[in-house]
């Protein structure tokens, strides 16, 4: 069902686990399957994402998409990270089965949630 690249990343995903010093956390659930995705970001005072990690009970598609998404946003500004398109992640993975696309959206949505939470906390 998955291509070689997806399977390879799944065997050794990067950025896995909670981050103790994260200053932005996002959490979303997948309505289709009930799985949960959490994203942890460390954002510096210039608005640049210095580090990102994830934790999920989701499937292989969710795990590999999150690994790639974290790779892609580290070093970006939060404004730039919000522009991340899910199709970019899928393209890097060389495609995902159609019925797994909804799993790959979790990382992007959790990143958006984390940045929204960060902005809310900044205003306090
Ligand atoms: Fe739940 Fe993929 S089946 S995240």
């Amino acid at each position: 069902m998955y291509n070689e690249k997806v399977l390879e990343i799944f065997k050794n995903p990067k950025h896995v686990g909670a981050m103790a010093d994260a200053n932005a956390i996002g959490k979303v659930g997948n309505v289709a399957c009930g799985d949960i995705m959490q994203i942890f970001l460390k954002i510096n005072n210039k608005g640049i994402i210095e580090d990102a990690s994830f934790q999920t009970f989701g499937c292989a598609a969710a795990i590999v998409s999150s690994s790639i998404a974290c790779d892609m946003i580290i070093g970006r500004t939060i404004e730039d990270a919000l522009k991340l398109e899910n199709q970019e992640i899928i393209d890097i993975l060389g495609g995902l089965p159609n019925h797994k696309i909804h799993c790959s959206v979790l990382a992007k949505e959790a990143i958006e949630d984390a940045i929204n939470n960060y902005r809310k906390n900044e205003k306090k």
Side-chain angles (χ1 to χ4, degrees), residues 20-114:
D21 57 348
N23 57 0
I25 299 175
K27 187 176 179 179
V28 291
N30 190 332
V31 284
C33 66
D35 288 328
I36 302 284
M37 166 75 65
Q38 262 189 302
I39 290 275
F40 303 85
L41 304 178
K42 188 156 52 166
I43 301 169
N44 72 16
N45 58 9
K46 292 189 174 97
I48 294 169
I49 298 168
E50 288 186 340
D51 203 4
S53 70
F54 71 95
Q55 222 172 19
T56 184
F57 298 109
C59 64
I63 291 168
V64 295
S65 306
S66 307
S67 177
I68 294 290
C70 288
D71 256 354
M72 290 176 81
I73 62 168
I74 291 171
R76 286 197 193 185
T77 62
I78 53 177
E79 287 77 19
D80 220 20
L82 287 172
K83 291 181 195 152
L84 178 70
E85 293 289 342
N86 206 53
Q87 191 58 45
E88 293 176 63
I89 298 170
I90 294 169
D91 288 347
I92 287 176
L93 291 171
L96 280 173
N98 272 345
H99 67 287
K100 286 290 171 187
I101 301 290
H102 71 93
C103 313
S104 68
V105 179
L106 284 179
K108 176 184 163 50
E109 289 178 349
I111 289 166
E112 285 167 2
D113 190 52

Side-chain angles (χ1 to χ4, degrees), residues 8-28:
E8 200 163 301
I9 297 169
F10 179 59
K11 278 187 225 152
N12 198 11
K14 294 196 282 179
H15 314 295
V16 180
M19 190 190 299
D21 57 348
N23 57 0
I25 299 175
K27 187 176 179 179
V28 291

